[in-house]
Amino acid sequence: MNRLIDQWRQAVVALLGICLGAFAISQTSAMSELGRVFPITASLISIAAGLGILAKIILAPQAETVPEERIDYLRAGLFAATMLIWALSLDRFGFVPTSACAVVVVAVISRREPMSKTSILFHAIAGVFLVVGFSFLLSEVLNVRLP
Amino acid sequence: MLDALLSALSLENLLLAFLGVVGGTIIGALPGLSATMAVAVLVPFTFTMDPSSGLIVLGAIYTGAIYGGAYSAILVNTPGTPAAIATSMDGFPMAKRGDGDLAVTLSCLGSVAGGLVGALALLLLAPPLSQIALSFGPVEYFWLAIFGLSLIATLSRGATLTGLIGGGIGLLLSCVGSAVVGGDVRYTFGQTSLLGGIPVIPALIGLYCVPVLIEMVIRPEAHLERRAEKMRGFRLIEALGLMWRSKFNVIRSAVIGTVVGIIPAAGGSVAGLVAYSEARRTAKKPEEFGKGAHDGVIASEASNSATVGGGFIPTLVLGIPGTPPDAIILGALLVQGIRTGPQLFTQQADIVFTFTFGLLIATLLMLPTGLIIGRYAYRLIVSVPKTALAPAIAFLTIVGAFAIEANTFHVFIMVALGIIGWLLARIGVEASPIVLGLILGPIAEAGFVQGWLIGGAQGDRLGMFFGQPISLAIIALTVLTLVSSGVFKRKTQLERPS
Amino acid sequence: MTRFLTTALGAISLTLGASMLHAEDYPSKAIDYIIPYNPGGESDVTARFQEKFWNDVTGQDVVISYKPGAGGATAWSQLGGFDADGYTIMNVNFPHAILQPAIKEVGYQTEDVIPVYVFHYTPDAIVVRADSPYQTLQDLIDFANENPGALTFGGSGTNSANHLAAVRFGAMADVTVTYVPFGGSAPSMAAVLGGQIGAGMTYTTQGVKAGDQVRVLAIATEERLDIFPDVPTFKELGFDYVAGAYRGVTVPADTPDDIRQQLSDIIAEINDIPEFQSQMEENGYVLVDVPHAEMGDWIAARQADYASGIEILKGN
């Protein structure tokens, strides 16, 4: 992904490291002495790294210009939501129906060019075939019990 | 030994080895469907077979599955097995720029070379090499994990501090659940489903694959760059040339893989990471690593395939399984009435040799099958339009996360970590440091706590951690890697954006 | 599209219908057998031994899968979520399933995982490397007496059978030992063989597996075992101690009684097969038969037996 990181993003990372570390340390009070060592070490590492980044930003600000990248937040959000709903509906509606629907939805979200009716039909059939085929592989060959 | 070779070459055994390699490769290529699962499913079928045939098919499946992980690592940036994590670091950038076919062929050649070295070690040197397994105690595991974690610094290319935060996130994630050593219940927030911790493979799929999927959905350009000219076949000659130029890398990685395979509880992921780190350290142009360096793919694949043969050494000689699939095979052996241990090599040597030859043959069979399956996998991924590719891969991530333990909660974890991983990647925290922390954290922690307890009992904690030759050697290597990676160099010259 | 969906839904409802069968013809299809540990350990191996004979006894297969995590607690806390139709069975270990809920909040209670049958146990055994200076259990105790805390016992897991055994042994012999938990029996044995820890507090099965690389100092059985004719029992050495990890098969708590009974009969029948018995015994397992009808008393007896040890573990 993009390697150009502006200072605002760095500041967010730094704050994330510090907050997460502080939160993780605050949770260690109930742990045994040996069980606490490792989480505290890991937290201190991220707090220290966060402070380091902040120090760098404040002491040596670099005027670095980052080409603004347009992100299709609508598609990203829709896709993320679909995946989440997919994961949460498996138990309720069953593996095959949920997945068959979700596969179609993801195809619609990632579609860019208008498609002909036959190609839509073809995609739908291929998608359902994929879902049913894999479900068969899982349940019959690999003995995984599907919800 | 000749009898064993002939018996391994029987038509039935050859066929079994071939089917095993093909089946294993396909299962390994699908993220989440792991070598462990493939082997576990097949065990009952081997009860009715002749012991050596049963072992050959299990070994072949295992070999194939470890290799198959390379496809998804290269083509969709998703290590199908943890062993292929290091493969994706350079394999996917290669595929991105249109060299996916070359990467697949290289991974196949590397795997065959590594697999052969591992299997030959099993054939010729098993009893003496098994002592390596015993020289690795808790403290050595601790330092080995630290060495692996030092890769975070070298991977982050100038953004070391950001990488460290990623590593911290991964280490904290690895603490979730009930600790094996000490039994503390940590960071579960009252959720009993989190008691077992963050499941590694769903986390891998989420952190690596979901961000790729999101990018695929939101960007108009093709998933992988497609070179304008026609498909160039296997690019075998080119790949062989690259292999020959990297012969030291191949041999070093295969040896690392064999040795790490012998060490119980380390496994393919550690082997791949250590070999990758060493390849980078000794490379002429280390800055190419992470951007599609051939040597990165070769190192990772040669070493993870070598762990197959290496892992069988402690399994067969000491009765201590080197990797989880080895553990299942060990169980299958017991059911067959084969008692592992030093006496196996004297009393039932014929079975061991037939099995080892079977493993060698399976490794050789991997060359044609791997090249052909890889070629079609690459063509498929390149030519299928996004409207079909995105839903198909999304479905595979769901399948993979679910299948590992038939648990829908794992699917949720996969998706949640995936979305978080994408957001983190947008602000510069990449997946690899998080994954390294998650995988190596438990090894480091268990080693540390055990070493602390033992050192305390002996009244010499300092000597425990810093007084033993293997530990000191690993510490030295870690420092060497950090120095050569430029973490301690002046930052300014490194921060040049790529 | 809708047609595909209806077909898919139809297929689902068919499979659901097929699972609602009567108890008379149980089992009428393959049974899922879940192992709450990683493959290769005692739970897996004994289930694989059973698997080999399961079809001969019932005419149906078992399908073994693994749900490792939290020393077994991950799987046991999920048990209630499975269909209580007898087609999902799970391996359950004691003392683990009594210790864990007694010491920590682990998402299940012992009552939720009451077995239908307990079919064997792996007796506790103290093993040392073949070249260790400890020739007898007394040597070990003497060393621990002179150097309190310096003797390290490696075992599998925390709040596990091995942990309890180490704690109980310390109390019985009145010595202070350091228990070092490992991620399983195999890694703890690797540490014994590698000489990183003083002795292994493990099971007889590990002593068999390691062969002449180790010396078994004592085993916690009633009588000596055929496979270790020269190894004394704790009883012979003056400790009234018979213990180990008991393994049984459990089902979701709502499973009807007649199915529990049938399952209990099936496992009893497998336990009666001479070939199964010899395979188990050769590998260091000791068969026991605790059927469904006697389970309540058996669990109560175990709870009483572990009570003092649990108090010590809680204090840690």
Side-chain angles (χ1 to χ4, degrees):
Chain A
M1 258 143 265
N2 57 331
R3 305 263 341 142
L4 301 174
I5 300 156
D6 62 42
Q7 295 194 333
W8 279 112
R9 286 187 190 165
Q10 289 195 16
V12 173
V13 174
L15 288 176
L16 180 80
I18 294 167
C19 294
L20 189 76
F23 173 73
I25 288 180
S26 74
Q27 296 284 309
T28 55
S29 51
M31 295 174 193
S32 72
E33 214 170 298
L34 272 178
R36 200 182 295 165
V37 175
F38 199 73
I40 290 183
T41 313
S43 308
L44 289 180
I45 290 174
S46 55
I47 291 176
L51 291 176
I53 294 175
L54 284 184
K56 244 169 70 180
I57 295 174
I58 294 164
L59 296 178
Q62 290 168 313
E64 199 177 87
T65 47
V66 181
E68 188 62 36
E69 197 189 7
R70 267 172 197 278
I71 295 171
D72 193 340
Y73 281 108
L74 179 69
R75 277 206 171 90
L78 278 175
F79 177 77
T82 312
M83 291 293 282
L84 270 179
I85 295 169
W86 192 349
L88 294 172
S89 317
L90 285 174
D91 271 328
R92 192 162 308 157
F93 302 112
F95 191 83
V96 176
T98 315
S99 302
C101 296
V103 161
V104 174
V105 174
V106 173
V108 171
I109 295 173
S110 53
R111 190 177 70 103
R112 281 171 197 275
E113 309 82 31
M115 286 160 75
S116 69
K117 268 191 182 152
T118 43
S119 121
I120 291 173
L121 189 70
F122 177 76
H123 272 83
I125 293 174
V128 173
F129 187 75
L130 179 85
V131 170
V132 173
F134 263 96
S135 310
F136 179 80
L137 175 76
L138 280 185
S139 60
E140 300 304 316
V141 182
L142 295 172
N143 293 319
V144 178
R145 201 182 259 194
L146 300 174
Chain B
M1 222 154 130
L2 199 66
D3 291 347
L5 179 61
L6 288 175
S7 124
L9 280 172
S10 79
L11 194 64
E12 188 204 351
N13 285 346
L14 278 179
L15 193 69
L16 282 174
F18 175 72
L19 290 176
V21 168
V22 173
T25 308
I26 292 172
I27 286 182
L30 301 168
L33 307 189
S34 62
T36 313
M37 185 188 260
V39 172
V41 166
L42 261 156
V43 162
F45 295 100
T46 61
F47 292 162
T48 52
M49 292 180 196
D50 176 51
S52 47
S53 303
L55 275 174
I56 285 176
V57 74
L58 290 177
I61 290 249
Y62 180 18
T63 311
I66 292 285
Y67 169 59
Y71 295 143
S72 45
I74 291 170
L75 298 176
V76 286
N77 195 31
T78 305
T81 56
I85 290 173
T87 312
S88 68
M89 292 175 182
D90 280 290
F92 185 59
M94 276 183 81
K96 255 305 197 213
R97 70 167 184 237
D99 280 333
D101 45 359
L102 182 63
V104 166
T105 300
L106 271 181
S107 75
C108 184
L109 293 178
S111 288
V112 171
L116 287 178
V117 170
L120 284 174
L122 172 64
L123 181 68
L124 303 173
L125 294 166
L129 281 182
S130 69
Q131 294 309 310
I132 295 177
L134 299 182
S135 57
F136 260 75
V139 179
E140 285 80 8
Y141 281 118
F142 170 72
W143 287 117
L144 190 65
I146 297 294
F147 177 55
L149 286 170
S150 73
L151 198 56
I152 289 176
T154 55
L155 279 177
S156 333
R157 285 165 289 169
T160 312
L161 291 172
T162 313
L164 281 178
I165 290 181
I169 295 174
L171 291 173
L172 285 172
L173 282 176
S174 81
C175 291
V176 173
S178 139
V180 173
V181 178
D184 274 303
V185 176
R186 301 185 294 200
Y187 303 123
T188 60
F189 309 107
Q191 294 286 315
T192 48
S193 37
L194 280 175
L195 268 180
I198 302 283
V200 168
I201 290 178
L204 272 185
I205 298 175
L207 287 170
Y208 279 115
C209 196
V210 172
V212 172
L213 272 171
I214 297 181
E215 295 289 318
M216 196 190 286
V217 169
I218 63 175
R219 282 171 203 278
E221 64 263 27
H223 168 55
L224 300 181
E225 176 99 8
R226 193 175 179 178
R227 295 270 168 102
E229 67 250 55
K230 263 179 64 186
M231 284 289 182
R232 285 156 297 182
F234 297 117
R235 299 174 74 177
L236 189 57
I237 307 289
E238 194 183 346
L240 280 171
L242 287 169
M243 288 285 285
W244 178 249
R245 234 179 296 153
S246 308
K247 50 193 175 295
F248 293 114
N249 180 18
V250 174
I251 293 167
R252 183 184 52 234
S253 305
V255 170
I256 289 174
T258 311
V259 171
V260 176
I262 294 170
I263 304 166
S269 53
V270 177
L273 293 170
V274 170
Y276 181 87
S277 177
E278 280 300 291
R280 186 185 188 282
R281 185 174 67 79
T282 52
K284 286 200 191 77
K285 291 181 186 164
E287 65 278 4
E288 281 182 1
F289 275 68
K291 293 174 203 158
H294 306 138
D295 277 328
V297 176
I298 296 173
S300 173
E301 281 304 307
S303 61
N304 70 28
S305 293
T307 59
V308 176
F312 278 116
I313 292 176
T315 313
L316 297 178
V317 181
L318 305 170
I320 295 167
T323 60
D326 287 339
I328 300 186
I329 293 174
L330 185 65
L333 282 170
L334 278 177
V335 178
Q336 294 265 18
I338 298 169
R339 189 77 54 73
T340 53
Q343 68 275 14
L344 179 65
F345 281 77
T346 48
Q347 288 163 15
Q348 289 172 305
D350 46 336
I351 288 183
V352 178
F353 287 129
T354 310
F355 169 64
T356 312
F357 283 123
L359 205 60
L360 274 169
I361 292 165
T363 310
L364 287 174
L365 285 172
M366 210 153 73
L367 189 63
T369 47
L371 286 176
I372 292 167
I373 298 177
R375 182 177 185 185
Y376 282 101
Y378 176 64
R379 279 197 175 180
L380 194 72
I381 299 280
V382 173
S383 53
V384 167
K386 263 188 180 181
T387 22
L389 194 61
I393 296 177
F395 177 60
L396 286 184
T397 63
I398 301 268
V399 168
F402 174 77
I404 222 69
E405 273 179 34
N407 191 338
T408 45
F409 182 68
H410 287 183
V411 182
F412 173 72
I413 293 207
M414 183 273 290
V415 174
L417 281 179
I419 295 169
I420 295 171
W422 180 69
L423 292 172
L424 285 175
R426 293 231 62 94
I427 55 172
V429 184
E430 291 184 51
S432 291
I434 305 178
V435 167
L436 286 185
L438 182 65
I439 289 188
L440 299 174
I443 301 177
E445 182 177 21
F448 174 76
V449 174
Q450 287 158 354
W452 187 262
L453 286 170
I454 297 170
Q458 293 171 352
D460 184 15
R461 289 204 169 110
L462 204 65
M464 189 76 209
F465 280 95
F466 297 98
Q468 283 153 1
I470 298 182
S471 300
L472 289 176
I474 304 174
I475 297 171
L477 261 182
T478 313
V479 173
L480 210 61
T481 306
L482 286 174
V483 169
S484 72
S485 76
V487 174
F488 301 128
K489 278 189 209 149
R490 285 186 59 89
K491 296 266 188 248
T492 40
Q493 57 195 38
L494 274 160
E495 293 247 326
R496 203 169 301 139
S498 52
Chain C
M1 190 62 231
T2 31
R3 264 181 59 195
F4 282 110
L5 269 183
T6 16
T7 355
L9 282 171
I12 290 285
S13 55
L14 260 179
T15 32
L16 279 178
S19 67
M20 289 173 190
L21 288 158
H22 299 290
E24 293 94 70
D25 35 50
Y26 175 82
S28 61
K29 58 170 182 163
I31 291 177
D32 282 339
Y33 193 167
I34 299 170
I35 309 299
Y37 291 98
N38 276 315
E42 279 81 3
S43 301
D44 177 37
V45 169
T46 50
R48 293 287 185 190
F49 284 154
Q50 287 178 317
E51 180 184 30
K52 203 175 165 188
F53 299 101
W54 196 276
N55 200 312
D56 300 343
V57 171
T58 67
Q60 295 291 340
D61 289 327
V62 281
V63 176
I64 293 177
S65 58
Y66 309 92
K67 273 191 197 295
T74 305
W76 295 324
S77 61
Q78 289 174 20
L79 181 62
F82 291 103
D83 291 338
D85 56 3
Y87 289 100
T88 302
I89 63 176
M90 199 179 269
N91 172 277
V92 62
N93 292 14
F94 294 92
H96 308 64
I98 289 176
L99 297 184
Q100 292 173 351
I103 294 169
K104 289 229 162 72
E105 172 56 50
V106 285
Y108 74 98
Q109 295 300 323
T110 306
E111 295 73 54
D112 303 333
V113 294
I114 300 291
V116 296
Y117 201 93
V118 172
F119 67 103
H120 79 272
Y121 83 112
T122 46
D124 291 335
I126 295 181
V127 301
V128 295
R129 201 153 79 144
D131 61 1
S132 153
Y134 314 123
Q135 297 296 328
T136 64
L137 188 65
Q138 196 55 48
D139 293 347
L140 199 75
I141 295 173
D142 290 344
F143 175 81
N145 254 326
E146 287 154 25
N147 311 280
L151 177 65
T152 45
F153 266 140
S156 164
T158 303
N159 299 338
S160 60
N162 291 161
H163 193 183
L164 180 71
V167 162
R168 289 175 83 185
F169 175 76
M172 275 188 313
D174 198 22
V175 292
T176 312
V177 295
T178 304
Y179 177 73
V180 183
F182 285 82
S185 295
S188 79
M189 279 308 285
V192 171
L193 293 176
Q196 285 98 7
I197 49 174
M201 179 53 98
T202 179
Y203 306 126
T204 46
T205 48
Q206 296 296 325
V208 176
K209 220 190 252 175
D212 51 12
Q213 305 170 85
V214 294
R215 178 164 54 248
V216 184
L217 297 183
I219 55 175
T221 49
E222 295 282 354
E223 285 161 11
R224 289 194 182 201
L225 296 182
D226 293 342
I227 44 163
F228 294 126
D230 304 325
V231 176
T233 64
F234 280 96
K235 279 198 159 175
E236 286 174 50
L237 299 171
F239 301 101
D240 185 17
Y241 183 63
V242 175
Y246 292 84
R247 295 188 184 81
V249 171
T250 184
V251 288
D254 304 334
T255 309
D257 225 37
D258 52 343
I259 292 208
R260 283 177 182 263
Q261 188 56 51
Q262 276 170 321
L263 202 53
S264 168
D265 294 344
I266 291 168
I267 300 163
E269 211 174 312
I270 296 175
N271 252 18
D272 272 343
I273 298 172
E275 200 188 333
F276 177 74
Q277 290 175 343
S278 60
Q279 202 161 34
M280 292 282 281
E281 280 158 9
E282 274 169 25
N283 284 294
Y285 299 89
V286 177
L287 292 165
V288 292
D289 293 279
V290 188
H292 176 51
E294 298 164 22
M295 201 52 71
D297 295 341
W298 186 83
I299 294 281
R302 299 259 66 80
Q303 281 172 326
D305 190 28
Y306 303 144
S308 63
I310 291 176
E311 287 313 309
I312 306 176
L313 286 178
K314 268 186 182 169
N316 278 359

